[in-house]
Amino acid sequence: MEGLEQKQLKTSANVTYFYHFSPASNGKPTLLLLHGCPDTSLLWSDLVTSHLLPAGYGVLAPDLIGYGRSEKPEALEHYVLTTICRDLAAMLDHELLKQVIVVGHDFGAALASRMCHVQTSYVAGLITLGTAYIPPSPYPFDFEQIRAMQEQYLGYCSMWYFGLFTSEEGGKVLDAHVEQMFTALHGGGQRMKKILCVEGGIEKWLDGDAKKDVEVLPYAREPAFRQKWVGRLKRDGFTAPLKWYKAITRDMDLDAQKQALESGAGVLKMPYLFVAALQDPLAPTGAVQGPIAQGMLPDVSIKEVEAGHWCMFEKPQKTLSNSAAPQSGDVNTLVLVVEDLVHSLVAGRNGFVHIIQRLQRGITVEQHPSLEPPRSRLLGLIADKFAAGHCKDVVQFLECALLCLRNLSRLLDEVREHIHDSGAYEEEYHEEGHNVEPSIESERAHFSEYSEDRWKRDRQHRGPESTPKSVMAAETEGRQDLQACGYCPSHADFSL
């Protein structure tokens, strides 16, 4: 890459890494750029030369172990994520870098996540492209469990290709079909899904379905891009890169993950930006909602890009531009989302992952930042109930939340109307020289005057036919007005 120094470092494990480096200027931070499979540090060329260097950012972009010009050792223990993190820490020490912003794509995102767990002091911020933050897990790798869960919530399994990738002959098979792998990986999300996310799909593609001249995405049609990709993998092979997958599936990092959980390192203490590639079948964007619900991502921003796996190639400007924090939706949107969840859960069609996905999707449509605190509490309380194994409680909890939110929405409309009709708008705001809409605080001040009487009249007006039976049952169990119930501290927790 132009403008960067090419350097090497031999680690304490006697493994040599090749990397590109440029120091920061004008007080800007340095970014540690971690590529995935089957790329090299050159994945970041456009980001570095067009965006980071001109802005004064420092860059450290290694060819990760098994890739490019870095060493490709035989022993599998060198490919364990915690071991690679230790190598990266040595690289940062060598360059006298105390902290960096870690950026990862594909397997590099998994590595970046692990850096936050085991080399926390080096990480000032985290950015992942496509693949969401992966928290530490105390459980062994279980493909059948993953498959069943993904098929239930996604409708397909994104990891069927792991079978070939972790087999003894996997490297040789891919080495014999480099051109077909190029068209499989760079033909767009739907092709990737057909080949990599279907049982036997990749074997079928390599055995005869693929053609060397099959259509690929625009960025991959450039002759130089294809020649470099194919030439590099014909030279270096797939055997070493596939060792990353074998180390994961053989649980060689399990003890380190358990220790990270016990120490609390799974909760990120640094800002996190997730760039979600909406057309990437290998990295479901909803995966970020689990860690959010469990309180592991207290400072997260999410940016969505209509692109596939290599979003930085498909939509470079959109992917690489700055992203603001996501906005929350208004209370009426949340009412509809929770109501939908209640119906779905009572019917037994969906589970926890669907809850989180629908909540996040439903309340980021419109702008209402003041809804963020109750949304966070709702997600956290649902996560607690689910973690405790009280699935029935989750349904009842959502029914309770629905009651609160539906009543709150109607009350807000009536309070706003009352404020304007009574002249309170002019008295509270124009008297002080303000020309703004009534504040949330002023609306809440009017709740006590209207809540009990209006709630009862609203219930009579609605009638039993408009309310799900499960919700009616919840009402008759004493969850009335704005009083406490057995599932949330109080209905007021869901107020604005």
Side-chain angles (χ1 to χ4, degrees):
M1 281 183 276
E2 294 183 6
L4 282 79
E5 184 179 0
Q6 299 181 19
K7 307 184 76 171
Q8 293 184 19
L9 176 70
K10 185 178 288 291
T11 70
S12 59
N14 203 35
V15 175
T16 300
Y17 279 82
F18 171 89
Y19 62 98
H20 299 273
F21 178 68
S22 177
S25 60
N26 301 321
K28 294 292 183 67
T30 295
L31 277 68
L32 173 62
L33 305 176
L34 306 176
H35 65 81
C37 178
D39 296 307
T40 68
S41 56
L42 295 180
L43 172 76
W44 308 108
S45 294
D46 183 53
L47 171 64
V48 170
T49 57
S50 301
H51 299 271
L52 298 181
L53 292 186
Y57 290 98
V59 171
L60 198 162
D63 282 350
L64 293 170
I65 190 168
Y67 293 95
R69 295 171 62 180
S70 290
E71 200 165 340
K72 303 167 183 61
E74 288 292 328
L76 202 58
E77 57 262 25
H78 292 293
Y79 297 85
V80 177
L81 293 185
T82 299
T83 302
I84 302 172
C85 288
R86 187 165 58 244
D87 295 341
L88 294 175
M91 202 178 298
L92 297 176
D93 288 341
H94 184 72
E95 298 298 342
L96 304 179
L97 293 169
K98 294 182 178 180
Q99 279 200 320
V100 292
I101 297 173
V102 185
V103 184
H105 172 254
D106 188 75
F107 234 126
L111 180 61
S113 299
R114 193 58 48 81
M115 277 290 289
C116 297
H117 308 151
V118 299
Q119 299 292 343
T120 310
S121 62
Y122 290 94
V123 185
L126 173 67
I127 302 173
T128 63
L129 307 181
T131 301
Y133 166 73
I134 301 176
S137 171
Y139 304 111
F141 180 87
D142 187 333
F143 174 78
E144 285 303 317
Q145 186 178 52
I146 296 171
R147 180 192 62 78
M149 182 182 69
Q150 288 193 338
E151 289 179 351
Q152 178 180 357
Y153 298 123
L154 299 177
Y156 70 96
C157 173
S158 67
M159 299 175 63
W160 277 112
Y161 64 98
F162 266 53
L164 177 60
F165 278 31
T166 57
S167 67
E168 289 301 319
E169 69 278 4
K172 293 181 180 179
V173 172
L174 298 189
D175 288 348
H177 299 88
V178 176
E179 290 278 1
Q180 289 90 335
M181 284 300 297
F182 179 84
T183 55
L185 298 180
H186 296 288
Q190 289 302 312
R191 182 182 298 165
M192 289 185 76
K193 186 176 180 179
K194 175 183 176 182
I195 296 171
L196 303 181
C197 305
V198 174
E199 184 177 9
I202 186 168
E203 291 85 354
K204 184 178 179 182
W205 178 263
L206 299 180
D207 285 344
D209 278 6
K211 296 180 180 179
K212 292 183 180 181
D213 60 349
V214 71
E215 188 69 17
V216 292
L217 293 173
Y219 71 83
R221 297 171 194 162
E222 295 292 332
F225 181 92
R226 184 168 190 154
Q227 290 169 7
K228 289 180 180 179
W229 196 97
V230 172
R232 172 175 57 82
L233 285 164
K234 283 186 174 180
R235 179 194 70 211
D236 298 338
F238 280 91
T239 298
L242 296 188
K243 292 181 184 293
W244 287 62
Y245 295 86
K246 293 179 180 179
I248 288 288
T249 57
R250 296 181 187 181
D251 299 313
M252 300 180 70
D253 217 13
L254 190 58
D255 289 342
Q257 294 189 70
K258 292 179 179 179
Q259 292 173 10
L261 279 175
E262 292 172 359
S263 68
V267 178
L268 294 192
K269 299 174 177 62
M270 66 288 293
Y272 169 46
L273 169 63
F274 172 44
V275 180
L278 300 180
Q279 298 173 20
D280 183 359
L282 303 187
T285 58
V288 75
Q289 303 307 331
I292 289 177
Q294 297 173 53
M296 291 183 167
L297 302 174
D299 188 2
V300 59
S301 299
I302 302 174
K303 175 180 178 179
E304 296 181 344
V305 180
E306 285 290 346
H309 191 70
W310 278 275
C311 52
M312 70 287 292
F313 292 149
E314 287 188 50
K315 300 287 180 67
Q317 294 300 323
K318 186 74 173 176
T319 301
L320 304 179
S321 63
N322 294 328
S323 175
Q327 299 294 321
S328 301
D330 68 7
V331 67
N332 295 302
T333 303
L334 187 52
V335 170
L336 295 175
V337 172
V338 176
E339 186 170 20
D340 175 67
L341 289 174
V342 171
H343 284 288
S344 297
L345 283 168
V346 170
R349 295 196 303 270
N350 299 292
F352 176 61
V353 173
H354 181 72
I355 294 174
I356 302 305
Q357 291 175 343
R358 289 286 287 117
L359 278 173
Q360 180 67 16
R361 186 185 314 130
I363 62 178
T364 57
V365 177
E366 302 176 45
Q367 295 185 354
H368 206 317
S370 57
L371 193 63
E372 178 61 25
R375 179 192 72 86
S376 298
R377 284 194 293 273
L378 178 60
L379 291 173
L381 287 166
I382 292 172
D384 291 343
K385 290 296 180 185
F386 186 85
H390 304 308
C391 294
K392 183 179 179 182
D393 284 4
V394 174
V395 178
Q396 294 173 343
F397 178 81
L398 283 170
E399 292 171 351
C400 176
L402 173 60
L403 281 176
C404 305
L405 292 164
R406 291 177 71 176
N407 295 332
L408 174 63
S409 180
R410 291 179 174 85
L411 285 171
L412 277 176
D413 291 339
E414 295 182 12
V415 167
R416 289 190 180 100
E417 181 179 353
H418 167 73
I419 290 174
H420 285 273
D421 291 347
S422 67
Y425 173 81
E426 289 78 11
E427 292 176 7
E428 282 192 52
Y429 296 92
H430 287 282
E431 185 175 84
E432 297 180 7
H434 299 300
N435 187 22
V436 295
E437 288 297 314
S439 68
I440 296 300
E441 289 73 18
S442 68
E443 293 176 346
R444 292 184 66 176
H446 291 271
F447 278 1
S448 60
E449 180 180 351
Y450 290 93
S451 60
E452 183 172 356
D453 181 59
R454 292 293 188 179
W455 188 89
K456 291 178 180 178
R457 279 191 281 166
D458 174 69
R459 180 67 186 86
Q460 294 172 354
H461 175 71
R462 251 191 303 138
E465 69 281 353
S466 64
T467 309
K469 292 183 178 180
S470 55
V471 176
M472 291 173 60
E475 292 181 4
T476 60
E477 289 171 6
R479 299 171 197 168
Q480 297 178 354
D481 306 327
L482 299 178
Q483 302 301 315
C485 74
Y487 296 95
C488 57
S490 72
H491 289 284
D493 278 345
F494 299 100
S495 70
L496 296 177

